[in-house]
Amino acid sequence: MKIYLAGPDVFLPDAVEIGRRKTEICARHGVSGHYPLDNAVDLSAADASLTIFKGNQAMMDAADAIIANLTPFRGPSADAGTVYELGYMAGRGKLCLAYSNDPASYRERVARLYRVTTSPDGRLIDPEGLTVEDFGWPDNLMMIHALDLHGCPLVTPRQAPADIWHDLASFEACVRLAAGRATSKSS
């Protein structure tokens, strides 16, 4: 089974090392992890961003599954690029797995960053008066239900690890789930 490893990990200072660790975990469980930074790209080229997009899309097309890191990135929700990749894979009918190292509800995450109040009509709102989604899920309902319908429920730890960007326990739980699916399909 080939698994595309999506997430904002590619923006970490030690992004290559994280990718190496993730692909090693995959190999230990008998699946093949494919990390976006496996694609060699000349970042100084005029078309670097399109090359990255096409390379990642080719990796997703060749993959059987995705494991997406939906840990909140630069705000209360998952990385926008990772969300696109998860949707792309769900739309192609591929196995979708994801994890977040922040188990808090979306409402709690928004409240960490903004003053959340109740509107006169009873809705939770942010400072701009916009409704704050509050179904008790760790992120937007579209991602949660895409996972439910195209793979496995979102994997989260009971409490956030000390280092949300380097703790790979929830990632490894997703790998075990994917490997189990691969084994049951081959039986």
Side-chain angles (χ1 to χ4, degrees):
M1 175 182 275
K2 293 180 187 175
I3 304 174
Y4 180 73
L5 308 177
D9 316 73
V10 298
F11 299 113
L12 295 173
D14 57 346
V16 172
E17 173 62 17
I18 291 294
R20 185 192 61 72
R21 287 179 56 206
K22 284 185 163 188
T23 56
E24 285 176 357
I25 289 168
C26 288
R28 280 199 314 266
H29 290 280
V31 296
S32 178
H34 298 268
Y35 189 61
L37 294 183
D38 293 343
N39 292 319
V41 177
D42 176 3
L43 296 177
S44 65
D47 65 345
S49 67
L50 181 59
T51 301
I52 292 168
F53 178 88
K54 287 181 176 181
N56 291 354
Q57 185 170 301
M59 286 178 114
M60 288 186 286
D61 289 342
D64 303 299
I66 183 172
I67 296 177
N69 179 354
L70 299 182
T71 301
F73 180 70
R74 296 184 179 144
S77 195
D79 167 58
T82 304
V83 171
Y84 168 82
E85 292 168 330
L86 178 60
Y88 182 85
M89 294 294 275
R92 295 187 49 84
K94 304 221 180 178
L95 178 63
C96 295
L97 302 103
Y99 68 98
S100 173
N101 277 334
D102 184 347
S105 71
Y106 181 71
R107 173 193 176 162
E108 292 170 309
R109 293 175 184 181
V110 172
R112 287 181 199 157
L113 301 173
Y114 306 101
R115 186 169 170 262
V116 175
T117 59
T118 304
S119 70
D121 64 356
R123 295 176 297 115
L124 288 176
I125 57 172
D126 68 12
E128 294 183 49
L130 303 174
T131 300
V132 176
E133 185 177 297
D134 185 25
F135 292 105
W137 300 117
D139 217 312
N140 181 278
L141 69 91
M142 297 300 286
M143 291 180 288
I144 298 302
H145 294 301
L147 292 166
D148 290 343
L149 297 172
H150 295 280
C152 299
L154 181 69
V155 173
T156 58
R158 290 193 190 280
Q159 66 184 81
D163 185 344
I164 63 169
W165 297 114
H166 293 90
D167 187 297
L168 297 178
S170 292
F171 168 77
E172 189 162 5
C174 287
V175 173
R176 283 192 303 272
L177 289 167
R181 288 280 182 96
T183 302
S184 67
K185 275 191 168 185
S186 65
S187 299

